[in-house]
Amino acid sequence: MKSFSFFSMIGLMVLLSACGSNSTRDRTLGQSGLSDGSGSGSGSGSGSGSTSNNSTNTGGNIYNLPLAPERVVEITGQGGMTPAYRISAETSRTLKVKVAALPAPHLTVPGYTNWVFPYGCMRIRVTVNGTTQATQVLRVADAAQGSNSPCANAPTSQVLDFSNAMTGDGPVDVIVSSPDYDNCRTSNPMYYGCQMSAVWMNHMAAANVSVQTDGTWLNP
C-alpha cells in the first residue's frame, strides 16, 4: 500500500506540472497578441489568448508616430485666381494623401467676399511626380443630400496612395487642383444637387488635405 501511494503521488505531481505548463503558454500567447495588435501595453495576463483581442486591436498607431500634417486647401476652378495648391514634402518611399471634403468657402474675387456658392458633393485631383489621381465623388459632412444627389451614400474622405510614384529620397511636390462639384450654377447658383461638373473659375472648393510621409501616421 505504501508503494502504491508513493507512485500515485508521483503521477499526480506530473499531471499538475503538465497543467501548469499549458496555462503559462496560453498566457504568454495572449500577452503577445495584445502587444502586437493593440500597442497599448495593458495586457491583463489573463491567459485568454483569444483572437478577438487581436482582431479588435490591430491597425492602430502602435509606434506612436507623429500625425501627418493636415491643412485646409482652398482652390478655384481652372482660370481662377488660385486654381492649384502646392504642398512640399520630404520622403523616400511612403506618400499617401488623404482628402476630406469641406463646405464651399467664401469667394476671393474682389467685391464678392461675402458670397458662397455651395455644393454637397465634391471631387478633387492630386498630382505627384507626374502621376495624377482623382478622388471619388465625396460627400460634404453634415450637408443635407437629396434623393438625386451624386454622393448621397459616398464617404466624406478618401486616401490616395502615391508610394509607387516615389523615385528615391528627396523633396516632392503634392499638387491639388481641378475640383468638381454638384453646384447648379447654370440654373440657380445658390443650390446644389445637380450632376458633377468642373468648379467654375470664380467659385471655390475646399478640402482638408493630409500628407503622410516616411515616419508619420495617417488616420484612415
Side-chain angles (χ1 to χ4, degrees):
M1 294 295 292
K2 291 183 178 180
S3 296
F4 177 81
S5 298
F6 174 78
F7 286 112
S8 297
M9 182 64 70
I10 293 295
L12 180 60
M13 292 175 64
V14 170
L15 180 61
L16 290 174
S17 175
C19 292
S21 297
N22 287 333
S23 177
T24 301
R25 182 188 63 196
D26 290 344
R27 182 163 57 250
T28 301
L29 289 174
Q31 291 172 342
S32 174
L34 287 169
S35 175
D36 292 343
S38 69
S40 64
S42 59
S44 63
S46 63
S48 64
S50 65
T51 56
S52 61
N53 286 335
N54 292 330
S55 62
T56 57
N57 290 292
T58 56
N61 186 5
I62 61 175
Y63 300 110
N64 292 321
L65 298 175
L67 289 177
E70 178 184 276
R71 68 206 70 199
V72 175
V73 171
E74 297 182 352
I75 55 177
T76 63
Q78 293 295 323
M81 295 179 61
T82 53
Y85 191 101
R86 185 186 304 269
I87 302 170
S88 297
E90 289 270 352
T91 191
S92 60
R93 54 186 178 83
T94 301
L95 187 68
K96 296 182 180 181
V97 180
K98 180 181 179 181
V99 178
L102 292 178
H106 288 82
L107 299 191
T108 58
V109 179
Y112 292 89
T113 54
N114 291 323
W115 286 69
V116 175
F117 290 90
Y119 52 79
C121 312
M122 64 96 69
R123 175 170 52 213
I124 212 163
R125 289 159 183 83
V126 180
T127 302
V128 176
N129 284 341
T131 298
T132 299
Q133 295 186 45
T135 67
Q136 67 184 91
V137 178
L138 300 175
R139 175 175 53 85
V140 177
D142 300 325
Q145 302 291 338
S147 57
N148 295 324
S149 167
C151 65
N153 299 310
T156 58
S157 66
Q158 183 180 358
V159 176
L160 305 175
D161 192 348
F162 288 91
S163 299
N164 289 336
M166 295 301 96
T167 58
D169 193 15
V172 62
D173 286 334
V174 178
I175 301 172
V176 182
S177 65
S178 304
D180 298 330
Y181 61 180
D182 64 334
N183 183 275
C184 307
R185 70 179 183 86
T186 57
S187 55
N188 189 332
M190 300 311 295
Y191 286 90
Y192 58 86
C194 303
Q195 293 303 308
M196 300 296 293
S197 62
V199 171
W200 190 51
M201 64 178 186
N202 286 335
H203 290 185
M204 300 286 294
N208 263 331
V209 178
S210 304
V211 178
Q212 180 187 18
T213 57
D214 296 342
T216 62
W217 171 258
L218 184 65
N219 282 324

